[in-house]
Amino acid sequence: MKLLSAIVPCYNEEENVRYFYDEFIKNKTFFTEKDLDYELIYVDDGSADKTADEVKKLIAEDSRVHLISFSRNFGKEAAMYAGMKEAKGDYVAIMDADLQDPPSLLPELYGWLEQGYDTAATRRSTRTGEPPVRSFFAHRFYHLINKMSQTEIVDGARDYRLMKRQVVDAILSLSEYNRFSKGIFGWVGFRTKWVEYENIERKHGKTKWSFWKLFGYAMDGITAFSTAPLKAASITGIIFCFVSFIMIIVTIVRKLIFGDPTSGWPSLVCIIFLVSGIQMLCLGAVGQYLEKTYLEVKNRPLYIIKEKL
Ligand code: UDP
Ligand code: MG
């Protein structure tokens, strides 16, 4: 009998815990058909509500349910990593608690693995229910990062995916601190089947991602999977040196031939502002990488487990 592990990161999802379980369990006939056993791992990412208590109630009813509780909120990336580390399955699925990743899609995903794919991943074909501004910036972000990075990062890809053991082990071997899973999944490679589905709005509660949180996430993604900003800083430096060199020659020649007195105070101020602005921008880009390096070097654990059931 093969084992399928489902990992459910939860942050303040008390209303969704049982709801998710009920939906997940609807696959029972499919599991018996395929001679699959399952384990359901809820990762409580430092929720302030009764998420952990709800999971404990489920554990009392079904011994296949497990709980990992963090000592505080470490973020979804850490929750997914912890879940994968604890999962014993030959197949591992990652699913959101809010039912935006429908468990009814599992049989289809499993079907693709049977056909020889290593990963069956999902992407949403629509972004209904999302503010248009957010969709706009999301599309721009994917466009930009794919230009800057060698790793393919698929627009609309969700974290919902079913993977074979080998893929999970590969992902676990990347133990970096600044985790950007959308990139890591692509980076490890393997044969991936993309399954599209229409976006579903979350059942209860509201999204934990504000615009600025998403913006920060996008920045993390860029620093984690591209060093293009560093190259851009160097190239800008070279261009500016070149331009100023020409300007120096022009000024000297003008003075020698035409005896033209130097004028142009306003343009000088503009140039100083422009150049120092660009300098700060480049320094900031370098700082971003330095910050990430600093956090990486400290080698802190990705999460701290408070309780494991
Ligand atoms: N989540 C988490 N830790 C966090 C934020 C979110 O474990 O710090 C979980 C959350 O409980 C949910 C999933 O990650 O199961 C996706 O979060 P959400 O639905 O808020 O994101 P969205 O679907 O809007 O992208
Ligand atoms: Mg959601």
Side-chain angles (χ1 to χ4, degrees):
M1 214 179 194
K2 296 262 186 176
L3 179 68
L4 185 145
S5 309
I7 299 161
V8 191
C10 302
Y11 179 48
N12 296 339
E13 303 277 8
E14 56 182 6
E15 305 108 317
N16 287 322
V17 167
R18 176 164 296 269
Y19 215 64
F20 179 87
Y21 177 79
D22 292 341
E23 284 296 312
F24 183 80
I25 228 66
K26 284 185 186 157
N27 285 317
K28 216 158 192 172
T29 44
F30 159 73
F31 290 144
T32 34
E33 233 169 64
K34 295 286 178 189
D35 201 26
L36 277 174
D37 199 3
Y38 69 88
E39 63 172 358
L40 195 52
I41 305 172
Y42 284 97
V43 186
D44 168 25
D45 184 13
S47 302
D49 65 358
K50 294 199 166 57
T51 301
D53 296 335
E54 286 295 321
V55 179
K56 282 175 194 165
K57 279 188 210 158
L58 286 178
I59 293 177
E61 292 163 29
D62 186 343
S63 61
R64 291 184 175 95
V65 178
H66 303 277
L67 169 70
I68 303 170
S69 262
F70 286 174
S71 59
R72 64 167 173 85
N73 181 244
F74 280 92
K76 188 185 177 189
E77 296 288 342
M80 291 195 289
Y81 189 82
M84 281 190 266
K85 204 145 199 185
E86 299 295 328
K88 294 180 188 69
D90 306 282
Y91 303 100
V92 176
I94 299 174
M95 311 166 92
D96 283 3
D98 57 8
L99 288 173
Q100 278 187 305
D101 299 339
S104 54
L105 219 58
L106 269 181
E108 187 185 340
L109 298 182
Y110 185 80
W112 289 112
L113 296 197
E114 277 186 319
Q115 287 192 26
Y117 284 95
D118 301 304
T119 308
T122 62
R123 58 181 296 208
R124 44 185 183 178
S125 50
T126 55
R127 284 177 174 269
T128 41
E130 196 183 60
V133 192
R134 192 169 290 192
S135 302
F136 172 78
F137 279 106
H139 287 313
R140 295 270 64 73
F141 164 70
Y142 283 108
H143 185 76
L144 184 72
I145 197 166
N146 280 310
K147 278 249 152 71
M148 287 162 72
S149 167
Q150 265 99 44
T151 309
E152 203 205 351
I153 293 157
V154 178
D155 190 356
R158 295 202 48 94
D159 291 330
Y160 182 22
R161 49 177 59 226
L162 184 65
M163 298 168 281
K164 287 187 178 163
R165 184 79 248 171
Q166 204 187 359
V167 182
V168 178
D169 288 340
I171 292 170
L172 286 174
S173 72
L174 271 74
S175 57
E176 60 212 64
Y177 188 82
N178 178 26
R179 296 191 79 72
F180 183 69
S181 281
K182 287 182 200 322
I184 291 175
F185 292 144
W187 192 90
V188 295
F190 295 101
R191 277 188 77 200
T192 305
K193 173 72 194 175
W194 287 99
V195 177
E196 294 206 1
Y197 70 98
E198 296 230 343
N199 189 37
I200 306 163
E201 292 188 40
R202 65 166 28 244
K203 282 284 175 242
H204 298 282
K206 56 179 204 276
T207 177
K208 276 93 201 168
W209 293 90
S210 66
F211 180 82
W212 288 112
K213 220 172 151 188
L214 274 174
F215 184 78
Y217 186 62
M219 284 305 186
D220 286 348
I222 291 175
T223 44
F225 280 91
S226 166
T227 48
L230 290 179
K231 290 198 192 83
S234 316
I235 291 169
T236 317
I238 293 170
I239 293 173
F240 268 74
C241 284
F242 186 70
V243 171
S244 62
F245 184 68
I246 291 176
M247 270 157 59
I248 289 169
I249 293 181
V250 167
T251 315
I252 292 174
V253 168
R254 202 169 58 176
K255 171 75 184 148
L256 290 180
I257 297 176
F258 305 106
D260 192 17
T262 327
S263 63
W265 187 84
S267 56
L268 191 65
V269 172
C270 292
I271 291 168
I272 290 175
F273 266 85
L274 174 73
V275 173
S276 53
I278 287 172
Q279 273 177 348
M280 292 312 277
L281 188 74
C282 295
L283 205 60
V286 177
Q288 283 292 314
Y289 287 90
L290 184 66
E291 178 208 316
K292 298 289 182 253
T293 315
Y294 177 59
L295 291 174
E296 216 63 67
V297 166
K298 279 206 217 184
N299 211 3
R300 285 186 182 161
L302 288 169
Y303 54 86
I304 289 168
I305 295 179
K306 188 176 74 183
E307 192 180 18
K308 204 155 89 177
L309 290 173

